């Protein structure tokens, strides 16, 4: 719809068209990770060495970037900072004024070398990962723009200290690694402490250090970064046998 972007369409309830537009924007972000596109170097019939390299070898890249998704305040900032990285690399098919453009860092080195296999792999190690990270950042920016509501979180606490949470978010979904559990002993300082458990997820186990009343709460985060917190659940728990017997 003319004059309406993905965010506005989503707000108007036209979510199918909004996600269709978002897919096109993601395509542009991916294109910007290819030096020929960033340099605006014409390459009819896709005659660009790096683009062909990625087309032929992308299936070999089975490891995705790890770590937190990058956060940008505007699409312009995301595109600009992506382009600045891609522009460091040469584009084209070889040396000569009509066979490509020099990157701000390469300065013709890769073109003069004929884009060797080793240099293409080195380039792909940076730019392929860049494409994945920046598309993820685009999705995060989109969800931050359209999803202002935190997840709804429910918490169940068993008599044995088993904790189980369930969260729902109709807009951007719930991060399965974004569950957190906290506890507080009611006859102590009242401070909330994290429940220690190995893997993030919707369940955990709490071993009471002493018998008594304990309060628990769980939180979950959605794709936009909104955090929802459950109602507090209070349970009387017994201490483990060794602690209870004084050993």
């Amino acid at each position: 719809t003319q004059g309406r972007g993905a965010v506005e369409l989503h707000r108007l309830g036209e979510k199918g068209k909004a996600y269709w537009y978002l897919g096109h924007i993601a395509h542009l972000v991916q294109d910007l990770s290819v030096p020929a596109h960033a340099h605006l170097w014409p390459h009819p019939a896709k005659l660009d060495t790096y683009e062909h390299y990625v087309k032929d070898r992308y299936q070999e890249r089975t490891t995705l970037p790890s770590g937190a998704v990058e956060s940008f305040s505007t699409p312009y900032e995301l595109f600009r900072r992506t382009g600045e990285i891609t522009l460091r690399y040469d584009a084209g098919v070889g040396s000569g004024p009509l066979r490509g453009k020099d990157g701000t860092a390469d300065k013709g080195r890769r073109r003069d070398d004929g884009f060797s296999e080793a240099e293409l792999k080195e380039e792909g190690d940076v730019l392929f990962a860049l494409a994945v990270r920046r598309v993820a950042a685009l999705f995060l920016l989109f969800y931050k723009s359209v999803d202002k509501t935190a997840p709804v979180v429910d918490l169940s606490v068993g008599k044995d200290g088993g904790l189980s949470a369930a969260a729902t978010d109709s807009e951007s979904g719930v991060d399965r690694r974004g569950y957190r559990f906290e506890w507080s002993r009611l006859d102590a300082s009242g401070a909330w402490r994290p429940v220690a458990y190995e893997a993030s997820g919707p369940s955990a186990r709490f071993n009471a250090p002493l018998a008594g009343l304990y309060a628990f709460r769980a939180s979950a985060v959605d794709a936009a970064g909104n955090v929802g917190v459950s109602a507090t659940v209070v349970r009387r728990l017994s201490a483990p046998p060794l602690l209870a017997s004084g050993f």
Side-chain angles (χ1 to χ4, degrees):
T1 304
Q2 186 173 5
R4 295 176 181 173
V7 171
E8 181 65 15
L9 287 167
H10 191 280
R11 288 173 177 165
L12 292 173
E14 298 184 52
K15 295 185 179 180
K17 187 175 291 185
Y19 284 113
W20 187 73
Y21 279 2
L22 183 63
H24 278 276
I25 300 169
H27 184 129
L28 296 176
V29 172
Q30 292 168 341
D31 272 351
L32 196 54
S33 71
V34 177
H37 290 283
H39 285 288
L40 300 180
W41 184 71
H43 46 295
K46 298 184 178 181
L47 294 177
D48 175 70
T49 305
Y50 176 73
E51 195 168 44
H52 269 282
Y53 170 81
V54 173
K55 179 182 178 182
D56 293 338
R57 309 293 291 273
Y58 75 92
Q59 290 181 322
E60 298 175 6
R61 297 186 173 273
T62 57
T63 302
L64 295 176
S66 60
V69 177
E70 297 169 287
S71 180
F72 295 91
S73 58
T74 64
Y76 173 79
E77 180 192 14
L78 190 157
F79 274 83
R80 178 180 61 80
R81 289 177 57 183
T82 302
E84 287 174 348
I85 295 174
T86 309
L87 285 169
R88 299 173 188 171
Y89 295 88
D90 292 344
V93 293
S95 60
L98 300 179
R99 294 176 59 79
K101 284 191 174 183
D102 294 347
T104 58
D106 283 348
K107 297 181 179 179
R109 173 177 61 87
R110 289 178 208 271
R111 294 208 296 131
D112 290 341
D113 290 346
F115 294 102
S116 69
E117 180 75 13
E119 289 176 327
L120 288 169
K121 182 182 183 303
E122 178 188 53
E123 187 175 351
D125 289 343
V126 175
L127 296 182
F128 186 88
L130 177 68
V132 174
R133 292 200 314 270
R134 292 299 159 83
V135 169
L138 170 68
F139 293 159
L140 175 61
L141 177 58
F142 174 77
Y143 282 126
K144 281 185 174 181
S145 300
V146 302
D147 187 357
K148 305 297 183 182
T149 304
V152 176
V153 186
D154 293 316
L155 172 64
S156 298
V157 181
K159 293 181 180 180
D160 61 349
L163 309 176
S164 178
T168 57
D169 187 284
S170 61
E171 293 293 350
S172 61
V174 178
D175 183 354
R176 63 184 179 182
R177 294 173 298 179
Y179 286 90
R180 297 292 181 268
F181 297 91
E182 294 178 298
W183 67 276
S184 176
R185 192 160 181 262
L186 294 186
D187 57 353
S189 65
W192 287 99
R193 304 171 178 84
V195 174
Y197 63 113
E198 294 182 359
S200 295
S203 61
R205 184 173 180 81
F206 174 76
N207 294 315
L210 297 170
L213 281 175
Y214 289 86
F216 298 91
R217 66 187 183 187
S219 62
V221 62
D222 63 19
N226 301 309
V227 179
V229 182
S230 72
T232 301
V233 177
V234 176
R235 288 286 184 272
R236 181 176 293 279
L237 300 178
S238 300
L242 290 178
L243 292 176
S245 62
F247 290 96

